[in-house]
Amino acid sequence: MSGQKKVKIMFEEMNQKIGSYGVVPVVVLNDTKDALPLAKALVEGGLAVAEVTFRTAAAEESIRIMAEAYPEMLVGAGTVLTVEQVDRAVNAGAKFIVSPGFDPEIVDYCISKNIPVYPGTVTPSEVAQAVKRGLTVCKFFPAENYGGLSTIKALAAPYTMVKFMPTGGVNLKNLRAYLESDKIAACGGTWMVKGDMIKAGQFDEIKKITADAAAMVKEIRG
Ligand code: 3PG
């Protein structure tokens, strides 16, 4: 099998997995001690998936803790801004990489290593760069600032092969509208895993909000 074909299969499998969750909690952890209870809350809430952002020093170790404790959980890394962070994330157990913008160096590096990557694209030129490389799912960030679902539909009109993962301003209020569109692979966001809830140790509350999001996915997508 050609290398390119292998990459395609790998990426399609990950797209399907992420699509089957429908919602990806975007996690910002300041303290690695919260990684385990948070992973437990997400798994028990019905969303065994997380994008752990490299915005904090605790990210890399938190990915490791989550991935080791819950091998069935789909743990990815977000806010990945350098290829060095790609390596650190993957070595820690991250199964996919998310970047806020389209950085060709990061995208090409991930493709060369068979690591599913979801770069941010909000303009036709950025989507074109992704399509050129064979990507079929792109992050759309910051979603609500860039026109939300209506912009996604406009972008998807010429780029029929692409689905989007909106994050930034997505919450339980607008989640339904996003999920009802066939142009949405999954929605990302922090509304289930807010920093103040994590700080206060409100993992039962996190589990409940997560379960609400999972239930909405099930209701809409079956
Ligand atoms: C991201 O990194 O995807 C966003 O910061 C998440 O945005 P939100 O806090 O509005 O959900």
Side-chain angles (χ1 to χ4, degrees):
M1 194 189 295
S2 74
Q4 217 176 7
K5 210 166 175 186
K6 247 196 250 167
V7 167
K8 201 169 158 28
I9 290 171
M10 182 92 179
F11 277 45
E12 289 306 325
E13 277 176 8
M14 187 57 68
N15 294 346
Q16 269 178 21
K17 276 187 196 166
I18 288 178
S20 74
Y21 287 109
V23 166
V24 178
V26 175
V27 172
V28 184
L29 281 175
N30 289 301
D31 193 328
T32 54
K33 79 166 171 35
D34 296 322
L36 203 53
L38 181 65
K40 185 172 186 280
L42 294 177
V43 171
E44 290 178 357
L47 289 176
V49 56
E51 175 192 325
V52 181
T53 62
F54 261 69
R55 289 176 205 182
T56 63
E60 185 178 350
E61 190 54 22
S62 296
I63 289 172
R64 185 167 287 114
I65 291 168
M66 288 177 158
E68 276 177 17
Y70 292 95
E72 75 279 24
M73 191 174 179
L74 193 57
V75 184
T79 320
V80 172
L81 307 179
T82 65
V83 293
E84 184 252 341
Q85 286 178 335
V86 173
D87 285 338
R88 283 171 48 206
V90 171
N91 286 337
K95 297 284 188 299
F96 63 92
I97 297 293
V98 183
S99 292
F102 190 94
D103 180 332
E105 191 188 353
I106 291 177
V107 175
D108 290 340
Y109 182 74
C110 287
I111 290 173
S112 76
K113 300 258 176 188
N114 282 358
I115 305 162
V117 62
Y118 300 95
T121 58
V122 290
T123 65
S125 303
E126 290 160 350
V127 177
Q129 291 297 306
V131 167
K132 199 174 169 182
R133 290 164 168 83
L135 301 189
T136 54
V137 175
C138 293
K139 179 173 166 120
F140 181 79
F141 170 81
E144 286 292 297
N145 305 65
Y146 274 91
L149 188 56
S150 100
T151 302
I152 287 176
K153 284 181 179 167
L155 280 173
Y159 296 107
T160 54
M161 66 298 277
V162 179
K163 291 192 182 201
F164 293 88
M165 187 155 61
T167 70
V170 181
N171 52 50
L172 263 184
K173 285 194 194 114
N174 54 19
L175 179 63
R176 177 176 295 276
Y178 278 110
L179 288 176
E180 281 175 349
S181 167
D182 64 354
K183 296 302 170 190
I184 301 301
C187 292
T190 58
W191 81 90
M192 294 146 282
V193 287
K194 284 279 173 221
D196 50 359
M197 291 194 284
I198 295 173
K199 207 168 164 198
Q202 295 169 335
F203 296 105
D204 283 345
E205 180 66 9
I206 289 172
K207 180 173 151 182
K208 190 187 161 298
I209 303 171
T210 301
D212 288 345
M216 194 180 280
V217 175
K218 199 162 188 304
E219 183 204 326
I220 295 168
R221 294 185 166 181

Short mmCIF file of all heavy atoms in Angstrom, two decimals, residues 101-157:
data_model
loop_
_atom_site.label_atom_id
_atom_site.label_comp_id
_atom_site.label_asym_id
_atom_site.label_seq_id
_atom_site.Cartn_x
_atom_site.Cartn_y
_atom_site.Cartn_z
N GLY A 101 -4.56 27.62 13.73
CA GLY A 101 -4.48 28.15 12.36
C GLY A 101 -3.89 27.12 11.42
O GLY A 101 -3.59 25.99 11.82
N PHE A 102 -3.69 27.52 10.16
CA PHE A 102 -3.12 26.60 9.18
C PHE A 102 -1.62 26.87 9.07
O PHE A 102 -1.19 27.84 8.44
CB PHE A 102 -3.78 26.76 7.81
CG PHE A 102 -3.38 25.67 6.87
CD1 PHE A 102 -4.16 24.52 6.75
CD2 PHE A 102 -2.20 25.74 6.16
CE1 PHE A 102 -3.76 23.48 5.94
CE2 PHE A 102 -1.79 24.70 5.34
CZ PHE A 102 -2.58 23.57 5.22
N ASP A 103 -0.82 26.04 9.71
CA ASP A 103 0.63 26.15 9.63
C ASP A 103 1.12 25.01 8.74
O ASP A 103 1.10 23.85 9.15
CB ASP A 103 1.23 26.05 11.04
CG ASP A 103 2.75 26.16 11.02
OD1 ASP A 103 3.38 25.79 10.00
OD2 ASP A 103 3.31 26.60 12.04
N PRO A 104 1.56 25.33 7.49
CA PRO A 104 1.93 24.26 6.55
C PRO A 104 3.01 23.35 7.10
O PRO A 104 3.00 22.14 6.84
CB PRO A 104 2.45 25.01 5.32
CG PRO A 104 2.11 26.44 5.51
CD PRO A 104 1.76 26.67 6.95
N GLU A 105 3.93 23.90 7.89
CA GLU A 105 5.02 23.09 8.43
C GLU A 105 4.46 22.00 9.36
O GLU A 105 4.83 20.82 9.26
CB GLU A 105 6.00 23.99 9.19
CG GLU A 105 7.29 23.28 9.55
CD GLU A 105 8.17 24.11 10.48
OE1 GLU A 105 7.85 25.29 10.76
OE2 GLU A 105 9.17 23.54 10.95
N ILE A 106 3.55 22.40 10.22
CA ILE A 106 2.96 21.43 11.16
C ILE A 106 2.12 20.40 10.41
O ILE A 106 2.21 19.20 10.64
CB ILE A 106 2.09 22.16 12.22
CG1 ILE A 106 2.99 22.98 13.15
CG2 ILE A 106 1.24 21.16 13.02
CD1 ILE A 106 2.25 23.79 14.18
N VAL A 107 1.30 20.89 9.47
CA VAL A 107 0.42 19.97 8.73
C VAL A 107 1.26 18.97 7.94
O VAL A 107 1.01 17.76 7.99
CB VAL A 107 -0.54 20.76 7.80
CG1 VAL A 107 -1.36 19.81 6.94
CG2 VAL A 107 -1.46 21.67 8.62
N ASP A 108 2.26 19.46 7.23
CA ASP A 108 3.08 18.55 6.41
C ASP A 108 3.86 17.56 7.29
O ASP A 108 4.02 16.40 6.93
CB ASP A 108 4.05 19.36 5.53
CG ASP A 108 3.30 20.10 4.43
OD1 ASP A 108 2.15 19.71 4.12
OD2 ASP A 108 3.84 21.08 3.89
N TYR A 109 4.31 18.03 8.44
CA TYR A 109 5.04 17.16 9.35
C TYR A 109 4.11 16.03 9.83
O TYR A 109 4.49 14.85 9.82
CB TYR A 109 5.55 17.97 10.54
CG TYR A 109 6.36 17.16 11.52
CD1 TYR A 109 7.66 16.76 11.21
CD2 TYR A 109 5.83 16.80 12.76
CE1 TYR A 109 8.40 16.01 12.12
CE2 TYR A 109 6.57 16.06 13.67
CZ TYR A 109 7.86 15.66 13.34
OH TYR A 109 8.60 14.92 14.23
N CYS A 110 2.90 16.40 10.23
CA CYS A 110 1.95 15.38 10.72
C CYS A 110 1.62 14.38 9.62
O CYS A 110 1.60 13.17 9.86
CB CYS A 110 0.67 16.05 11.22
SG CYS A 110 0.87 16.91 12.79
N ILE A 111 1.40 14.88 8.41
CA ILE A 111 1.08 13.97 7.29
C ILE A 111 2.25 13.01 7.06
O ILE A 111 2.05 11.80 6.89
CB ILE A 111 0.73 14.77 6.02
CG1 ILE A 111 -0.61 15.49 6.21
CG2 ILE A 111 0.69 13.86 4.79
CD1 ILE A 111 -0.99 16.45 5.10
N SER A 112 3.47 13.55 7.11
CA SER A 112 4.64 12.70 6.86
C SER A 112 4.79 11.62 7.93
O SER A 112 5.42 10.60 7.71
CB SER A 112 5.91 13.55 6.77
OG SER A 112 6.31 13.95 8.07
N LYS A 113 4.23 11.87 9.11
CA LYS A 113 4.34 10.90 10.22
C LYS A 113 3.05 10.12 10.46
O LYS A 113 2.92 9.46 11.51
CB LYS A 113 4.70 11.65 11.51
CG LYS A 113 5.99 12.43 11.46
CD LYS A 113 7.05 11.67 12.18
CE LYS A 113 8.39 12.37 12.08
NZ LYS A 113 9.48 11.60 12.58
N ASN A 114 2.07 10.25 9.55
CA ASN A 114 0.78 9.54 9.73
C ASN A 114 0.03 9.97 10.97
O ASN A 114 -0.64 9.15 11.61
CB ASN A 114 0.97 8.03 9.84
CG ASN A 114 1.21 7.39 8.51
OD1 ASN A 114 1.20 8.07 7.50
ND2 ASN A 114 1.43 6.10 8.52
N ILE A 115 0.16 11.22 11.37
CA ILE A 115 -0.53 11.69 12.58
C ILE A 115 -1.72 12.54 12.13
O ILE A 115 -1.52 13.59 11.51
CB ILE A 115 0.41 12.56 13.46
CG1 ILE A 115 1.69 11.82 13.80
CG2 ILE A 115 -0.32 13.04 14.71
CD1 ILE A 115 2.82 12.73 14.27
N PRO A 116 -2.94 12.09 12.43
CA PRO A 116 -4.09 12.89 12.03
C PRO A 116 -4.00 14.32 12.58
O PRO A 116 -3.73 14.52 13.77
CB PRO A 116 -5.28 12.14 12.64
CG PRO A 116 -4.81 10.72 12.71
CD PRO A 116 -3.34 10.83 13.07
N VAL A 117 -4.22 15.29 11.70
CA VAL A 117 -4.06 16.70 12.09
C VAL A 117 -5.27 17.50 11.63
O VAL A 117 -5.81 17.26 10.55
CB VAL A 117 -2.74 17.28 11.51
CG1 VAL A 117 -2.71 17.26 9.98
CG2 VAL A 117 -2.47 18.69 12.02
N TYR A 118 -5.70 18.41 12.51
CA TYR A 118 -6.86 19.25 12.22
C TYR A 118 -6.45 20.72 12.36
O TYR A 118 -6.52 21.30 13.44
CB TYR A 118 -8.01 18.89 13.18
CG TYR A 118 -8.40 17.44 13.01
CD1 TYR A 118 -7.87 16.45 13.84
CD2 TYR A 118 -9.24 17.05 11.98
CE1 TYR A 118 -8.18 15.11 13.65
CE2 TYR A 118 -9.55 15.71 11.77
CZ TYR A 118 -9.01 14.76 12.61
OH TYR A 118 -9.32 13.44 12.40
N PRO A 119 -6.01 21.32 11.26
CA PRO A 119 -5.59 22.73 11.32
C PRO A 119 -6.81 23.64 11.22
O PRO A 119 -7.83 23.28 10.63
CB PRO A 119 -4.72 22.87 10.06
CG PRO A 119 -5.28 21.87 9.10
CD PRO A 119 -5.80 20.73 9.93
N GLY A 120 -6.68 24.82 11.79
CA GLY A 120 -7.75 25.80 11.69
C GLY A 120 -7.78 26.44 10.31
O GLY A 120 -6.74 26.80 9.76
N THR A 121 -8.98 26.51 9.74
CA THR A 121 -9.15 27.18 8.44
C THR A 121 -10.43 28.01 8.51
O THR A 121 -11.48 27.49 8.88
CB THR A 121 -9.31 26.15 7.30
OG1 THR A 121 -10.43 25.32 7.57
CG2 THR A 121 -8.08 25.28 7.12
N VAL A 122 -10.31 29.29 8.17
CA VAL A 122 -11.52 30.13 8.17
C VAL A 122 -11.72 30.87 6.85
O VAL A 122 -12.70 31.59 6.70
CB VAL A 122 -11.52 31.16 9.33
CG1 VAL A 122 -11.70 30.49 10.67
CG2 VAL A 122 -10.25 32.01 9.31
N THR A 123 -10.78 30.71 5.91
CA THR A 123 -10.91 31.37 4.61
C THR A 123 -10.82 30.32 3.50
O THR A 123 -10.24 29.24 3.72
CB THR A 123 -9.78 32.39 4.38
OG1 THR A 123 -8.54 31.66 4.30
CG2 THR A 123 -9.71 33.43 5.48
N PRO A 124 -11.34 30.65 2.30
CA PRO A 124 -11.20 29.70 1.18
C PRO A 124 -9.74 29.37 0.90
O PRO A 124 -9.42 28.22 0.59
CB PRO A 124 -11.83 30.46 0.00
CG PRO A 124 -12.78 31.42 0.64
CD PRO A 124 -12.15 31.81 1.94
N SER A 125 -8.85 30.34 1.02
CA SER A 125 -7.43 30.06 0.74
C SER A 125 -6.85 29.04 1.70
O SER A 125 -6.04 28.19 1.31
CB SER A 125 -6.61 31.36 0.85
OG SER A 125 -7.13 32.32 -0.02
N GLU A 126 -7.27 29.12 2.96
CA GLU A 126 -6.78 28.14 3.94
C GLU A 126 -7.40 26.77 3.69
O GLU A 126 -6.71 25.75 3.77
CB GLU A 126 -7.09 28.63 5.36
CG GLU A 126 -6.24 29.82 5.75
CD GLU A 126 -6.81 30.63 6.90
OE1 GLU A 126 -7.97 30.39 7.31
OE2 GLU A 126 -6.09 31.51 7.39
N VAL A 127 -8.68 26.75 3.39
CA VAL A 127 -9.33 25.46 3.09
C VAL A 127 -8.65 24.84 1.87
O VAL A 127 -8.39 23.63 1.83
CB VAL A 127 -10.85 25.63 2.84
CG1 VAL A 127 -11.48 24.30 2.46
CG2 VAL A 127 -11.54 26.20 4.07
N ALA A 128 -8.31 25.68 0.88
CA ALA A 128 -7.65 25.18 -0.34
C ALA A 128 -6.33 24.50 0.00
O ALA A 128 -5.99 23.45 -0.58
CB ALA A 128 -7.43 26.33 -1.32
N GLN A 129 -5.60 25.07 0.94
CA GLN A 129 -4.32 24.48 1.35
C GLN A 129 -4.53 23.10 1.98
O GLN A 129 -3.75 22.18 1.79
CB GLN A 129 -3.62 25.39 2.37
CG GLN A 129 -3.12 26.70 1.81
CD GLN A 129 -2.06 26.48 0.75
OE1 GLN A 129 -1.07 25.80 0.99
NE2 GLN A 129 -2.29 27.02 -0.42
N ALA A 130 -5.62 23.00 2.75
CA ALA A 130 -5.94 21.72 3.39
C ALA A 130 -6.36 20.69 2.34
O ALA A 130 -5.89 19.54 2.36
CB ALA A 130 -7.05 21.92 4.43
N VAL A 131 -7.21 21.12 1.42
CA VAL A 131 -7.72 20.21 0.38
C VAL A 131 -6.57 19.70 -0.48
O VAL A 131 -6.50 18.51 -0.81
CB VAL A 131 -8.78 20.94 -0.49
CG1 VAL A 131 -9.10 20.16 -1.75
CG2 VAL A 131 -10.05 21.17 0.33
N LYS A 132 -5.65 20.60 -0.80
CA LYS A 132 -4.48 20.23 -1.61
C LYS A 132 -3.70 19.08 -0.97
O LYS A 132 -3.10 18.25 -1.64
CB LYS A 132 -3.58 21.47 -1.69
CG LYS A 132 -2.57 21.48 -2.79
CD LYS A 132 -1.92 22.85 -2.73
CE LYS A 132 -0.71 22.92 -3.58
NZ LYS A 132 -0.09 24.26 -3.46
N ARG A 133 -3.73 19.03 0.35
CA ARG A 133 -3.00 17.98 1.09
C ARG A 133 -3.87 16.77 1.41
O ARG A 133 -3.46 15.88 2.15
CB ARG A 133 -2.44 18.58 2.38
CG ARG A 133 -1.30 19.56 2.14
CD ARG A 133 -1.05 20.42 3.37
NE ARG A 133 0.20 21.17 3.25
CZ ARG A 133 0.31 22.33 2.60
NH1 ARG A 133 -0.73 22.88 2.01
NH2 ARG A 133 1.49 22.95 2.55
N GLY A 134 -5.10 16.79 0.91
CA GLY A 134 -5.98 15.62 1.10
C GLY A 134 -6.76 15.61 2.40
O GLY A 134 -7.40 14.61 2.73
N LEU A 135 -6.73 16.71 3.16
CA LEU A 135 -7.49 16.72 4.41
C LEU A 135 -8.97 16.88 4.11
O LEU A 135 -9.35 17.62 3.20
CB LEU A 135 -7.03 17.88 5.32
CG LEU A 135 -5.56 17.90 5.74
CD1 LEU A 135 -5.34 18.97 6.80
CD2 LEU A 135 -5.11 16.55 6.27
N THR A 136 -9.79 16.20 4.88
CA THR A 136 -11.24 16.30 4.66
C THR A 136 -12.00 16.82 5.89
O THR A 136 -13.20 17.01 5.84
CB THR A 136 -11.84 14.94 4.23
OG1 THR A 136 -11.47 13.96 5.21
CG2 THR A 136 -11.33 14.51 2.87
N VAL A 137 -11.26 16.99 7.00
CA VAL A 137 -11.86 17.65 8.17
C VAL A 137 -10.89 18.73 8.65
O VAL A 137 -9.70 18.48 8.83
CB VAL A 137 -12.12 16.65 9.32
CG1 VAL A 137 -12.63 17.39 10.56
CG2 VAL A 137 -13.15 15.60 8.90
N CYS A 138 -11.42 19.94 8.83
CA CYS A 138 -10.60 21.06 9.32
C CYS A 138 -11.27 21.69 10.53
O CYS A 138 -12.49 21.73 10.62
CB CYS A 138 -10.49 22.15 8.25
SG CYS A 138 -9.57 21.65 6.81
N LYS A 139 -10.44 22.20 11.42
CA LYS A 139 -10.98 23.00 12.52
C LYS A 139 -11.46 24.33 11.94
O LYS A 139 -10.93 24.80 10.92
CB LYS A 139 -9.87 23.22 13.55
CG LYS A 139 -10.27 24.06 14.77
CD LYS A 139 -9.13 24.06 15.79
CE LYS A 139 -9.32 25.13 16.85
NZ LYS A 139 -9.41 24.58 18.20
N PHE A 140 -12.46 24.93 12.56
CA PHE A 140 -12.92 26.26 12.15
C PHE A 140 -12.93 27.09 13.42
O PHE A 140 -13.80 26.95 14.27
CB PHE A 140 -14.33 26.15 11.54
CG PHE A 140 -14.89 27.46 11.07
CD1 PHE A 140 -14.49 28.00 9.84
CD2 PHE A 140 -15.82 28.15 11.83
CE1 PHE A 140 -15.01 29.22 9.40
CE2 PHE A 140 -16.34 29.37 11.40
CZ PHE A 140 -15.94 29.90 10.18
N PHE A 141 -11.93 27.97 13.54
CA PHE A 141 -11.70 28.67 14.81
C PHE A 141 -11.26 30.11 14.55
O PHE A 141 -10.43 30.33 13.67
CB PHE A 141 -10.62 27.94 15.61
CG PHE A 141 -10.13 28.71 16.81
CD1 PHE A 141 -10.85 28.71 17.99
CD2 PHE A 141 -8.96 29.46 16.74
CE1 PHE A 141 -10.40 29.44 19.09
CE2 PHE A 141 -8.51 30.19 17.83
CZ PHE A 141 -9.23 30.18 19.01
N PRO A 142 -11.72 31.09 15.34
CA PRO A 142 -12.77 31.01 16.36
C PRO A 142 -14.15 31.09 15.70
O PRO A 142 -14.49 32.09 15.07
CB PRO A 142 -12.51 32.22 17.26
CG PRO A 142 -11.65 33.17 16.45
CD PRO A 142 -11.05 32.42 15.31
N ALA A 143 -14.90 30.04 15.84
CA ALA A 143 -16.09 29.80 15.02
C ALA A 143 -17.11 30.93 15.04
O ALA A 143 -17.49 31.45 13.99
CB ALA A 143 -16.75 28.49 15.47
N GLU A 144 -17.54 31.32 16.22
CA GLU A 144 -18.61 32.32 16.27
C GLU A 144 -18.12 33.68 15.77
O GLU A 144 -18.85 34.40 15.10
CB GLU A 144 -19.19 32.42 17.70
CG GLU A 144 -20.05 31.22 18.07
CD GLU A 144 -21.35 31.16 17.26
OE1 GLU A 144 -22.18 32.07 17.37
OE2 GLU A 144 -21.53 30.17 16.51
N ASN A 145 -16.86 34.02 16.02
CA ASN A 145 -16.32 35.30 15.53
C ASN A 145 -16.25 35.34 14.02
O ASN A 145 -16.36 36.40 13.40
CB ASN A 145 -14.91 35.54 16.07
CG ASN A 145 -14.84 35.47 17.57
OD1 ASN A 145 -15.08 34.42 18.14
ND2 ASN A 145 -14.56 36.58 18.21
N TYR A 146 -16.06 34.18 13.40
CA TYR A 146 -15.93 34.13 11.94
C TYR A 146 -17.23 33.78 11.24
O TYR A 146 -17.22 33.34 10.10
CB TYR A 146 -14.81 33.17 11.55
CG TYR A 146 -13.47 33.85 11.56
CD1 TYR A 146 -12.68 33.86 12.69
CD2 TYR A 146 -13.01 34.55 10.43
CE1 TYR A 146 -11.46 34.52 12.72
CE2 TYR A 146 -11.79 35.20 10.46
CZ TYR A 146 -11.03 35.19 11.61
OH TYR A 146 -9.83 35.85 11.62
N GLY A 147 -18.34 33.99 11.91
CA GLY A 147 -19.63 33.83 11.24
C GLY A 147 -20.30 32.50 11.46
O GLY A 147 -21.36 32.23 10.88
N GLY A 148 -19.70 31.65 12.28
CA GLY A 148 -20.35 30.40 12.66
C GLY A 148 -20.81 29.53 11.50
O GLY A 148 -20.15 29.44 10.45
N LEU A 149 -21.97 28.95 11.71
CA LEU A 149 -22.47 27.95 10.76
C LEU A 149 -22.69 28.53 9.37
O LEU A 149 -22.45 27.86 8.36
CB LEU A 149 -23.78 27.36 11.30
CG LEU A 149 -24.35 26.18 10.54
CD1 LEU A 149 -23.35 25.04 10.43
CD2 LEU A 149 -25.63 25.69 11.22
N SER A 150 -23.12 29.79 9.29
CA SER A 150 -23.40 30.33 7.96
C SER A 150 -22.12 30.46 7.14
O SER A 150 -22.09 30.18 5.94
CB SER A 150 -24.23 31.61 8.05
OG SER A 150 -23.44 32.73 7.90
N THR A 151 -21.01 30.82 7.79
CA THR A 151 -19.72 30.87 7.08
C THR A 151 -19.27 29.46 6.69
O THR A 151 -18.76 29.23 5.59
CB THR A 151 -18.64 31.57 7.93
OG1 THR A 151 -19.10 32.88 8.26
CG2 THR A 151 -17.31 31.65 7.20
N ILE A 152 -19.46 28.52 7.60
CA ILE A 152 -19.07 27.13 7.30
C ILE A 152 -19.82 26.63 6.07
O ILE A 152 -19.23 26.03 5.16
CB ILE A 152 -19.32 26.22 8.52
CG1 ILE A 152 -18.28 26.52 9.60
CG2 ILE A 152 -19.29 24.74 8.14
CD1 ILE A 152 -18.46 25.76 10.90
N LYS A 153 -21.12 26.92 6.01
CA LYS A 153 -21.91 26.44 4.86
C LYS A 153 -21.41 27.10 3.58
O LYS A 153 -21.34 26.45 2.52
CB LYS A 153 -23.39 26.75 5.08
CG LYS A 153 -24.05 25.81 6.07
CD LYS A 153 -25.52 26.14 6.23
CE LYS A 153 -26.20 25.19 7.20
NZ LYS A 153 -27.53 25.66 7.59
N ALA A 154 -21.06 28.38 3.66
CA ALA A 154 -20.57 29.08 2.46
C ALA A 154 -19.23 28.50 2.01
O ALA A 154 -18.98 28.31 0.82
CB ALA A 154 -20.45 30.57 2.76
N LEU A 155 -18.36 28.20 2.99
CA LEU A 155 -17.04 27.62 2.65
C LEU A 155 -17.19 26.22 2.07
O LEU A 155 -16.45 25.81 1.16
CB LEU A 155 -16.17 27.52 3.91
CG LEU A 155 -15.44 28.76 4.41
CD1 LEU A 155 -14.78 28.45 5.75
CD2 LEU A 155 -14.40 29.23 3.40
N ALA A 156 -18.16 25.48 2.62
CA ALA A 156 -18.34 24.08 2.20
C ALA A 156 -19.00 23.97 0.82
O ALA A 156 -18.95 22.90 0.21
CB ALA A 156 -19.18 23.33 3.24
N ALA A 157 -19.57 25.06 0.36
CA ALA A 157 -20.25 24.99 -0.95
C ALA A 157 -19.28 24.64 -2.08
O ALA A 157 -19.54 23.68 -2.82
CB ALA A 157 -21.01 26.28 -1.22
#
